[in-house]
């Protein structure tokens, strides 16, 4: 059932749980470390059936594999510093050319710098893709307390949080029984460094999109549960229908 025309193409609702996009769509998810970007991406993947492209996950995978890229970036990642624009631009370029990303994709953690934003706009224009920017707004102190309780499954990547999303059994992944770990870059000193980086390098990009993008959704993600935040994102996306 077609429900409307947008700048992104025709959107149709199918069983009320998916948007059919005639034109590729890039959902660009902004939010500081710990804002819930990863969780919201997973909801969006399930809803829209388009892949999440997380530069952080891709970089961590290189480190896990211990390949040349992984060895080159390990120290910067562990210190909470950004890796080079050239490297992430190349990784994103390769990833969005994969067959599963042809209808659209969710960018999680990219772009992070003006040079990356420029490259992204160029890539999207070349692909004929339209962008929607989603900004998760979270209070600094909320982030610090959230991230100190964060754990991840080293096997399947599922994220848990002692307060907002505890596993059924303390310290154990619900899905595969693996022992949960603290990511190296979730340590408090590293968290502060990452927040400082975010403020300095990425916040200006949000200002840029606030001024230039017609399709910007800003959601307060400080206090509500992830499911409620997702409902707001959904209604924001549906709000573009008819524009
Ligand atoms: P994330 O999981 O998105 O918080 O990213 C974790 C770490 O990966 C960051 O602290 C950076 O070291 C690196 N990283 C992820 N995405 C980017 C990016 N777009 N540009 C540069 N470095 C990145």
């Amino acid at each position: 059932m077609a429900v409307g025309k947008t700048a992104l193409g025709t959107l149709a609702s199918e069983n009320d749980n998916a948007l059919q996009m005639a034109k590729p769509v890039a959902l660009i998810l902004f939010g500081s470390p710990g804002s819930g970007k990863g969780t919201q991406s997973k909801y969006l993947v399930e809803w829209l059936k388009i892949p999440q492209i997380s530069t952080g996950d891709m970089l961590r995978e290189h480190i896990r594999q211990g390949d040349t890229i992984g060895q080159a970036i390990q120290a910067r990642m562990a210190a909470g510093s950004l890796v080079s624009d050239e490297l992430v631009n190349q990784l994103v370029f390769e990833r969005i050319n994969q067959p599963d990303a042809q209808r659209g994709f969710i960018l999680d953690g990219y772009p992070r710098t003006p040079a990356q934003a420029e490259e992204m706009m160029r890539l999207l224009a070349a692909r004929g893709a339209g962008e929607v920017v989603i900004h998760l707004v979270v209070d600094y102190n909320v982030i610090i307390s959230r991230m100190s309780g964060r754990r991840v499954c080293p096997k399947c990547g599922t994220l848990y949080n002692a307060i907002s999303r505890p596993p059924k059994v303390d310290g154990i992944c619900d899905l595969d029984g693996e022992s949960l770990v603290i990511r190296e870059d979730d340590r408090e000193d590293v968290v502060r460094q990452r927040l400082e980086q975010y403020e300095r390098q990425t916040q200006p990009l949000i200002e840029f999109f606030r001024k230039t993008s017609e399709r910007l959704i800003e959601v307060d993600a400080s206090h509500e549960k992830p499911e409620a935040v997702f409902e707001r994102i959904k209604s924001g996306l549906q709000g573009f229908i008819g524009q």
Side-chain angles (χ1 to χ4, degrees), residues 74-174:
Q74 192 153 21
R76 291 193 72 76
M77 292 267 297
S81 305
L82 295 184
V83 308
S84 78
D85 291 332
E86 290 71 21
L87 174 62
V88 283
N89 285 341
Q90 182 63 25
L91 290 177
V92 170
F93 171 76
E94 285 167 10
R95 183 63 187 84
I96 69 176
N97 282 317
Q98 299 294 314
D100 66 333
Q102 298 315 301
R103 287 176 58 241
F105 43 84
I106 299 154
L107 292 174
D108 167 4
Y110 177 92
R112 284 261 231 294
T113 66
Q116 292 176 22
E118 267 173 42
E119 177 64 6
M120 181 202 72
M121 296 309 273
R122 207 183 60 72
L123 289 177
L124 297 189
R127 285 278 301 272
E131 92 280 358
V132 179
V133 178
I134 301 168
H135 179 205
L136 304 177
V137 184
V138 191
D139 182 82
Y140 183 87
N141 291 323
V142 171
I143 288 177
I144 296 284
S145 77
R146 238 184 225 180
M147 290 183 76
S148 55
R150 192 148 99 158
R151 300 291 180 274
V152 65
C153 173
K155 196 167 169 194
C156 69
T158 303
L159 282 173
Y160 295 89
N161 186 285
I163 302 155
S164 58
R165 189 170 186 257
K168 290 189 187 113
V169 179
D170 198 25
I172 302 292
C173 180
D174 293 348

Side-chain angles (χ1 to χ4, degrees), residues 140-141 144 147 185-198:
Y140 183 87
N141 291 323
I144 296 284
M147 290 183 76
D185 55 0
D186 277 348
R187 292 192 347 256
E188 189 168 328
D189 53 332
V190 179
V191 169
R192 286 187 193 280
Q193 158 79 353
R194 289 168 68 201
L195 288 176
E196 193 261 327
Q197 287 266 2
Y198 180 79

